[in-house]
Amino acid sequence: MIHLKQVQQARASIAPMLSPTPLLLDHALSDRFGRRVLLKGELFQRTGSFKARGGLYWVRTASRAELAGGLGAVSAGNHALGLAWAARKAGVPVTIVMPENASRFKVTGSRELGAEVILHGDINAAWTLMHQLVEERGLTLVHPYDNERIIAGQGTVGLEILEQAPKASVIVCPVGGGGLISGIGVVTAAMRPELALVGVEPSGAASMAHAWASGAPAPLSQVATCAKSLAAAVVGDYTYPLCLANTQELASVGERAIRRAMTHLIYQTKLLAEPGAAVGVAALLENAVELPPRGDIVVVITGGNMSGEELSEFL
């Protein structure tokens, strides 16, 4: 299992290249709940999401053997961007397989950062192809969420939140494969065990809830959601037990709720967050989560990588 010290080491490693992201007051939601609702702006991080944290920490702690044959990854986009950026800093080639419906904005961005991007099938088919490429090319697979170093890097978000919001009583966090909420949970369990950690998934890709119900990670038969950054078909062997141990509640929100949250973020908070980043706000707007009676509410806004075409659907 991953411990607080590993997250602290990750922060020390990435701090020279990645600055903390701001905590922003959502005035409309604060008025609605009669208490402060604070948005953790990971959309302002390098490459437009929290994924740069884990990607950079993985690369900075990699052995020569791990880097020698180049890196491989499967991603809906944000992991691709974060890893491509980190690998370019280290002069290491990266091959990324994305599902064919991946955001063209993220595909183009990853290629501009030097990654070889292959579009192939759905997320399950993309994984099948990547495993083949690992064997054929000798790539080192960098998993987007189910890796100790990736989770530790993402957990640095939790360290920043506890410093920036000492009066927080709950953190509401989007859940895809579970890397981010697992890392934050390691931090909160060790440093603020009384603080509630709530995960929110899109109902069309509720892979963590499926794992909880199944008693182990189990793939969804299909994934269908506008929140493509959260469209993991199965959670990980690391993220499942960490999330189960440290998350107090797991909720889901539908497509209409996500679109409502996107509208709120665009027009009320002036944030161009992507759909997957909006599910925490959606859960608040829909009263889908049980909140502690007092204290600040922190919602993680995980990323903001969208093309104009994608954004226009929500305007």
Side-chain angles (χ1 to χ4, degrees):
M1 298 296 284
I2 300 166
H3 301 286
L4 176 64
K5 184 177 180 180
Q6 292 167 272
V7 182
Q8 293 169 329
Q9 289 171 340
R11 186 179 192 183
S13 176
I14 68 176
M17 297 179 70
L18 293 178
S19 300
T21 54
L23 207 59
L24 307 171
L25 182 66
D26 187 317
H27 295 282
L29 281 177
S30 297
D31 290 343
R32 173 175 177 155
F33 285 92
R35 55 209 277 203
R36 293 204 305 171
V37 177
L38 303 164
L39 308 181
K40 178 60 170 166
E42 284 299 292
L43 73 172
F44 298 121
Q45 190 51 270
R46 290 297 298 265
T47 72
S49 86
F50 71 95
K51 291 286 191 174
R53 297 171 181 265
L56 180 61
Y57 184 56
W58 192 98
V59 171
R60 288 179 68 89
T61 54
S63 67
R64 289 186 178 181
E66 287 177 314
L67 300 177
L71 308 179
V74 174
S75 173
N78 284 334
H79 177 61
L81 289 164
L83 183 63
W85 171 77
R88 187 177 70 169
K89 291 291 184 182
V92 179
V94 183
T95 301
I96 298 166
V97 182
M98 295 187 185
E100 290 178 352
N101 69 345
S103 162
R104 292 302 182 266
F105 181 86
K106 296 175 182 178
V107 171
T108 300
S110 300
R111 286 174 173 159
E112 289 176 348
L113 288 167
E116 176 190 356
V117 177
I118 301 170
L119 299 176
H120 181 74
D122 61 10
I123 193 67
N124 291 319
W127 271 108
T128 299
L129 177 57
M130 175 48 63
H131 288 307
Q132 292 175 3
L133 294 175
V134 167
E135 292 296 322
E136 294 171 3
R137 300 185 183 183
L139 304 174
T140 298
L141 178 64
V142 184
H143 201 284
Y145 50 86
D146 202 35
N147 175 278
E148 288 188 356
R149 284 141 63 189
I150 292 291
I151 294 170
Q154 320 305 28
T156 60
V157 174
L159 292 175
E160 291 177 18
I161 290 173
L162 295 193
E163 292 175 356
Q164 294 169 325
K167 296 183 180 180
S169 61
V170 59
I171 297 174
V172 182
C173 180
V175 178
L180 177 60
I181 197 168
S182 294
I184 293 175
V186 168
V187 172
T188 56
M191 299 182 68
R192 292 272 299 280
E194 73 282 4
L195 187 150
L197 180 59
V198 174
V200 184
E201 299 179 289
S203 57
S207 53
M208 187 64 75
H210 184 58
W212 283 20
S214 303
L220 295 170
S221 58
Q222 63 179 5
V223 172
T225 177
C226 66
K228 295 178 183 178
S229 63
L230 304 182
V234 62
V235 299
D237 293 330
Y238 287 105
T239 61
Y240 165 70
L242 284 168
C243 185
L244 186 63
N246 299 325
T247 303
Q248 282 66 55
E249 184 182 354
L250 193 60
S252 66
V253 290
E255 300 294 284
R256 181 176 295 181
I258 294 172
R259 291 179 180 277
R260 180 187 178 197
M262 286 286 292
T263 300
H264 172 89
L265 287 167
I266 291 168
Y267 292 107
Q268 296 296 325
T269 68
K270 320 306 177 187
L271 293 179
L272 297 182
E274 60 191 272
V279 297
V281 169
L284 294 186
L285 291 172
E286 297 294 310
N287 296 313
V289 296
E290 185 174 343
L291 300 169
R294 59 187 63 85
D296 292 344
I297 302 164
V298 177
V299 185
V300 185
I301 307 299
T302 48
N305 289 314
M306 285 186 296
S307 67
E309 181 181 1
E310 292 170 297
L311 175 61
S312 66
E313 297 180 23
F314 302 97
L315 294 177

